[in-house]
Amino acid sequence: MAKPRIFIDGEAGTTGLQIRARLAGRADLELVSIDPAKRKDDAERRRLLNAVDLAVLCLPDEAARAAVALIDDPSVRVLDASTAYRTHPDWVYGLPELTAGQADRIGEARRVSNPGCYPTGALSLLRPLVDDGLLPAATPVSVHAVSGYSGGGRQMVEAFESRGPERIADIHRLYALDLAHKHRDEMRVHSGLAHVPLFTPAVGAFRQGMLVQIPLHLWSLPKSPSGRDLHASLSARYDGQRFVHVMPYDQRPKVLAPEALNGTNLLELFVFDNPAEQTALLVARLDNLGKGASGAAVQNIDLMLGLAGERDYAIARDAALA
């Protein structure tokens, strides 16, 4: 039986390079590359996009839409890593753990949109609580997050790591202060919320890693759930999941570092609370280049092609924290 063939359009970018590195050495698939001199040759790109089983798009939004338009062969399946199709009704959202049947839908889909890094953390915390009625759809929700600077792409990486006058020397930088970050609608649509969340992202002076935080006033919710109720909802949703781990309620850490899961496709979920004041803080920890980008892409590639995956990027927690 022939191995499935994969072409990564945009393999020289941050996400493309990471996906290719994660797939390197796999014996159960074949990677097809474009001649570097022809990366901007639409005729050659069209040929390759139509000559594979799966096209993975690691391009800006408009370029991703243009690449999809180049695909004439209906048998070619597409995984898009941009934000272009994340709320499109004809595309399947590529967060396998979102609902009980999401992984199957991804496996059967012709078109899949890889989720964003911030939404991966936020949705993994919000969707079970909305589905279980603990968080009504109309609840006003705030999402605060900090990411490593690799989330800003090659230019931001170069600016943080530069030794020249253009170097970014900030320890912590808030951005998207117009409160209109493009990930908000993705969070609203796939969480089941009725309103877009108030989303305030930040970038820190570390290369990769991410913390996504959602504060809740439990006393304001109709069912007045406790922190243990929230934890039970998350635990039930992700019981047995390979890549998403709900951390023990009775063994919560005093501090959280954003880089602990770097190099893995793991996502950790925490519930912190103050029972006396009926407040809670939900936190997701992940590698923004792992479960937040390339790791999620490889997970979706395996689902779409029916592959088990010869490398296990959900390495043991002990190894991840070593």
Side-chain angles (χ1 to χ4, degrees), residues 118-231:
Y118 292 123
T120 293
L123 292 169
S124 298
L125 292 165
L126 291 169
R127 183 61 182 266
L129 305 183
V130 173
D131 286 349
D132 287 350
L134 297 177
L135 195 67
T139 305
V141 169
S142 295
V143 179
H144 312 290
V146 60
S147 172
Y149 56 75
S150 59
R154 180 178 296 176
Q155 289 186 338
M156 182 170 283
V157 170
E158 291 175 351
F160 266 95
E161 297 183 351
S162 170
R163 297 181 180 274
E166 69 280 8
R167 177 175 180 266
I168 294 176
D170 301 338
I171 298 300
H172 187 270
R173 169 180 286 193
L174 285 173
Y175 68 101
L177 295 176
D178 59 355
L179 305 183
H181 193 283
K182 63 182 180 179
H183 282 169
R184 294 175 311 127
D185 204 43
E186 181 181 348
M187 293 180 189
R188 179 190 63 81
V189 168
H190 298 295
S191 66
L193 291 172
H195 309 287
V196 293
L198 176 63
F199 177 45
T200 53
V203 62
F206 51 96
R207 185 179 178 90
Q208 65 195 81
M210 175 173 284
L211 294 174
V212 180
Q213 308 162 67
I214 301 175
L216 294 174
H217 295 285
L218 302 181
W219 53 264
S220 71
L221 301 177
K223 294 185 178 181
S224 297
S226 66
R228 285 189 180 274
D229 293 332
L230 304 181
H231 188 273

Side-chain angles (χ1 to χ4, degrees), residues 78-82 85-88 90-99 101-109 111-117 119-121 123-124 186 190 243-244 265 267 290-304:
V78 181
L79 174 64
D80 178 39
S82 79
Y85 297 103
R86 289 180 185 163
T87 60
H88 195 292
D90 295 335
W91 287 62
V92 173
Y93 191 60
L95 183 55
E97 301 87 1
L98 183 66
T99 62
Q102 196 70 10
D104 290 336
R105 284 189 280 272
I106 293 168
E108 297 167 357
R111 300 287 187 267
V112 175
S113 58
N114 214 52
C117 51
T120 293
L123 292 169
S124 298
E186 181 181 348
H190 298 295
F243 297 109
V244 180
N265 191 45
L267 170 65
K291 185 62 171 164
S294 62
V298 172
Q299 188 179 352
N300 284 321
I301 287 169
D302 286 336
L303 287 169
M304 294 177 76

Side-chain angles (χ1 to χ4, degrees), residues 242-287:
R242 181 184 181 195
F243 297 109
V244 180
H245 300 160
V246 180
M247 308 312 290
Y249 180 85
D250 294 320
Q251 300 175 32
R252 292 170 292 181
K254 297 296 184 183
V255 298
L256 279 180
E259 301 170 276
L261 299 181
N262 286 359
T264 79
N265 191 45
L266 297 177
L267 170 65
E268 292 180 337
L269 305 179
F270 299 82
V271 177
F272 300 94
D273 65 341
N274 181 336
E277 297 183 5
Q278 290 186 279
T279 56
L281 178 66
L282 311 177
V283 183
R285 175 162 63 182
L286 64 155
D287 180 355

